[in-house]
Amino acid sequence: MLVLGIETSCDETAAALVADGRTVLSNIIANQLDLHRKYGGVVPEIAARRHTELIGYVINEALDAGGKSLSDVQAVAVTAKQGLVGSLLVGVAAAKTLSYALRVPLVGVHHIEGHIFANLLSNPEIPLPHVCLTVSGGHTLLVYVRDHCRYEKLGGTVDDAAGEAFDKIAKFLGLGFPGGPAIDRLATKGNRKAFAFPRPLLKAKSFYFSFSGLKTAIINAFKHQLAGGEKLPFEDIAASFQEAVVEVLVAKTLRAARESGVSAISVTGGVSANRRLREVFTDTGDRESIKVYFPALSLCTDNAAMIAAAGHARLRRGYADDLSLDVIPNVPLEVQHAG
Amino acid sequence: MLVLGIDTSGYANAIGVVDGERVLADFAFQTRNESLARIMLNIDSVLGENNLGLEDIGGFGVGLGPGSWTGIRIGVTVGKMLAYCTGKPVKGISTLEALAFCARDCQRLICAIVDAGARETIYAALYRSGHNGIHQVSDYYVGDLPGLAELVKEPITLVATDAQKYLSVLGQLLKSDAVEALETAPGGAVVALLAATRLESGENDDTLALAPLYLKESTARAFINKYKRRAQAVP
């Protein structure tokens, strides 16, 4: 089955063609970073306007790049849950129109479910059940994946998302937006043990994370030097901050896997592209005989191939939506499989 | 040519079908917060009640706004994708022009007004009726009613969804007999009529490029620009 995926939940306008939930024929992503950079974050109204301008071109490009025409499309999958309401709405309006005009099934997908499937697209061999950590600029969520489309939440963040902490520290250090890649680069030249930043909730029994206090601790520790024009050891700060975040994410996810009795961990989302996170996860996993999987780099950040793959799985389980599909900006992943 | 018209810039999903100059259907589905949820079902029901299928439609008219920013994006995206999927042409119509068109039989200067939401701001434009339909005779205006009143030097027919609200204020600002009001909402059939005329003369828009007529920048961008201007003003 050829599924056209559409994703517009934040600031990427994306469309993709995926065959049988496995083969990515095209994966087009129009990035809006240049529009949002000067604001230090995503501006919802600007994002929604850009999606409206781009959506047709991106869908057309996905078909062209995949060597297919509209009449080849057998279903349309779209991110309808979790994201900026004005942004989600553009993708859903386009998807509904395609479904209506082409007379093909429509399926709404939860954005996080898309990320879970990004890793399954890259690594179809990931065994079930497994534990999945989704870490991005907007999300930090730990779930037990019992089966495709069946999730149980284990934990999440109580304040900032992990990627949000990267963005805020990068902004503080003047590294620009988005902060993840900038900190990753800078950290390779720094000493991870230069500063002993807090490891929030590391010892807590729950699987919840908190990154807001870590961010504040770092800002408070250096803001006077920064204001006084002192030259700060940026590389060491970046490396030590990244180490604190990575240590907490890895320790809690590994413990969740042990306690759930699974032998595989899937790490997805934009932060899963972070090199140090991959390194520590893989090394720690190896020591405990738990295999850790990461998506291809092209599928870490928001994309529509993962939405098409998730949509395909949902359709196979009979979770199709009708033309009254609406957007839900904020809804837990685990309650959505009821369709 | 059968043309389907859509305007979602106001409080309703306005959907109409025309055959050239003849109106076949004109519905305004009150939506509140369900414009997106209802839009395809509304279009399907309007077509179905007229025993039409999407394949019978020869072109599409889309109300571009100004109006509710979120609302317009729904209509524009749906209209654009309908045209893309069917390979039929599309024409975007200013919602102000569609309102003014409803007063095309008036001899007075026509002033179309749309509420801009914040701080008593309005979107407006002036039109004049001629032998070839109506013609826009002013730039688009974004501002308050007193500012609009200064632009108007003669008796007008005011067209708006909540015309009575503007009538009393404008009546005081101008001489009271200088203003008459026509209360009407953005309509699907009107958008379709205006689009049909243009599509029949080959004036279609670039389908994939179809974009809303916001008339105002986003608040964040306006904020940054204000600071830029201030920074430039400081020597």
Side-chain angles (χ1 to χ4, degrees), chain B residues 132-192:
Chain B
N132 256 337
I134 58 162
H135 307 279
Q136 189 171 337
V137 293
S138 73
D139 288 334
Y140 287 117
Y141 171 81
V142 185
D144 57 9
L145 279 171
L148 177 65
E150 281 173 25
L151 300 176
V152 178
K153 309 282 186 220
E154 59 185 291
I156 57 166
T157 299
L158 186 161
V159 195
T161 304
D162 29 18
Q164 294 304 328
K165 186 173 93 183
Y166 303 122
L167 181 65
S168 56
V169 182
L170 271 182
Q172 284 166 8
L173 291 167
L174 303 162
K175 278 182 298 184
S176 60
D177 62 339
V179 188
E180 61 180 19
L182 174 63
E183 194 147 301
T184 185
V190 174
V191 165

Side-chain angles (χ1 to χ4, degrees), chain A residues 317-334:
Chain A
R317 281 158 187 76
Y319 298 141
D321 286 285
D322 63 26
L323 290 172
S324 67
L325 178 68
D326 206 344
V327 300
I328 309 180
N330 202 343
V331 61
L333 167 72
E334 65 276 13

Side-chain angles (χ1 to χ4, degrees), chain B residues 213-231:
Chain B
L213 188 62
Y214 296 107
L215 296 188
K216 270 205 303 188
E217 52 196 348
S218 82
T219 321
R221 187 160 286 174
F223 186 75
I224 288 261
N225 288 345
K226 195 167 105 186
Y227 272 84
K228 264 193 197 153
R229 279 195 296 275
R230 265 193 206 162

Side-chain angles (χ1 to χ4, degrees), chain A:
Chain A
M1 180 191 264
L2 186 67
V3 179
L4 171 68
I6 298 173
E7 148 71 36
T8 61
S9 68
C10 190
D11 64 335
E12 327 270 5
T13 318
L17 282 180
V18 175
D20 303 319
R22 289 177 160 262
T23 316
V24 180
L25 302 185
S26 64
N27 189 21
I28 306 300
I29 303 165
N31 190 294
Q32 303 182 3
L33 276 179
D34 289 343
L35 286 175
H36 300 283
R37 192 167 276 130
K38 66 180 166 214
Y39 304 103
V42 175
V43 182
E45 176 63 22
I46 292 176
R49 288 186 178 197
R50 195 69 180 139
H51 285 310
T52 313
E53 290 165 21
L54 292 174
I55 188 74
Y57 291 107
V58 167
I59 290 169
N60 191 50
E61 179 65 21
L63 288 165
D64 274 359
K68 299 287 179 185
S69 65
L70 277 171
S71 56
D72 297 319
V73 174
Q74 289 169 300
V76 181
V78 62
T79 310
K81 290 169 184 166
Q82 203 68 31
L84 299 170
V85 62
S87 290
L88 286 168
L89 179 144
V90 176
V92 170
K96 287 169 71 153
T97 313
L98 284 156
S99 162
Y100 177 69
L102 304 175
R103 293 196 175 88
V104 296
L106 172 71
V107 59
V109 172
H110 192 289
H111 181 73
I112 301 285
E113 182 167 35
H115 277 301
I116 291 172
F117 273 86
N119 213 348
L120 291 164
L121 260 179
S122 298
N123 306 289
E125 73 278 13
I126 302 179
L128 287 164
H130 63 256
V131 162
C132 180
L133 173 72
T134 301
V135 267
S136 69
H139 310 282
T140 300
L141 186 68
L142 193 58
V143 294
Y144 177 73
V145 182
R146 185 173 292 283
D147 193 359
H148 293 166
C149 310
R150 287 187 66 198
Y151 314 103
E152 286 151 36
K153 181 175 175 177
L154 299 172
T157 180
V158 295
D159 41 53
D160 290 355
E164 197 175 347
F166 275 86
D167 285 341
K168 286 176 176 171
I169 291 301
K171 192 174 181 178
F172 171 68
L173 298 177
L175 303 176
F177 173 82
I183 291 199
D184 187 345
R185 269 194 305 278
L186 209 57
T188 56
K189 296 179 229 144
N191 176 1
R192 297 193 287 267
K193 293 180 178 159
F195 303 100
F197 294 135
R199 266 64 171 159
L201 300 183
L202 181 64
K203 306 281 186 230
K205 282 204 177 90
S206 79
F207 293 117
Y208 279 82
F209 303 93
S210 166
F211 297 107
S212 176
L214 169 62
K215 167 206 72 190
T216 308
I218 293 175
I219 291 174
N220 284 343
F222 297 106
K223 66 181 175 195
H224 297 298
Q225 284 108 304
L226 201 65
E230 247 177 79
K231 193 179 173 335
L232 288 178
F234 278 10
E235 291 86 352
D236 290 347
I237 297 174
S240 302
F241 157 73
Q242 180 177 271
E243 199 64 11
V245 175
V246 166
E247 189 179 325
V248 177
L249 289 174
V250 171
K252 291 215 163 202
T253 309
L254 259 299
R255 186 160 62 79
R258 276 196 307 271
E259 290 184 14
S260 306
V262 301
S263 61
I265 288 171
S266 158
V267 187
T268 68
V271 180
S272 74
N274 182 279
R275 287 173 287 180
R276 182 65 185 155
L277 183 75
R278 288 189 171 212
E279 187 182 22
V280 177
F281 249 125
T282 308
D283 291 350
T284 318
D286 280 350
R287 282 202 295 277
E288 305 195 19
S289 298
I290 290 176
K291 178 109 170 104
V292 186
Y293 297 89
F294 301 92
L297 288 176
S298 62
L299 296 176
C300 286
T301 45
D302 291 352
N303 65 85
M306 67 186 197
I307 302 302
H312 179 262
R314 293 185 66 72
L315 284 171
R316 281 189 53 194
R317 281 158 187 76
Y319 298 141
D321 286 285
D322 63 26
L323 290 172
S324 67
L325 178 68
D326 206 344
V327 300
I328 309 180
N330 202 343
V331 61
L333 167 72
E334 65 276 13
V335 298
Q336 65 105 37
H337 63 77

Side-chain angles (χ1 to χ4, degrees), chain B residues 40-107:
Chain B
M40 298 319 297
L41 303 171
N42 292 155
I43 289 173
D44 191 52
S45 75
V46 169
L47 289 174
E49 280 178 28
N50 289 275
N51 294 317
L52 294 170
L54 199 53
E55 59 282 0
D56 299 314
I57 300 299
F60 299 90
V62 180
L64 299 179
S68 151
W69 291 347
T70 302
I72 316 165
R73 283 193 277 270
I74 295 171
V76 167
T77 306
V78 168
K80 175 192 320 210
M81 296 314 293
L82 281 174
Y84 175 69
C85 289
T86 56
K88 300 289 168 53
V90 65
K91 181 71 196 172
I93 301 294
S94 152
T95 297
L96 287 168
E97 185 186 355
L99 285 172
F101 185 78
C102 299
R104 61 192 176 281
D105 295 332
C106 297
Q107 298 310 306

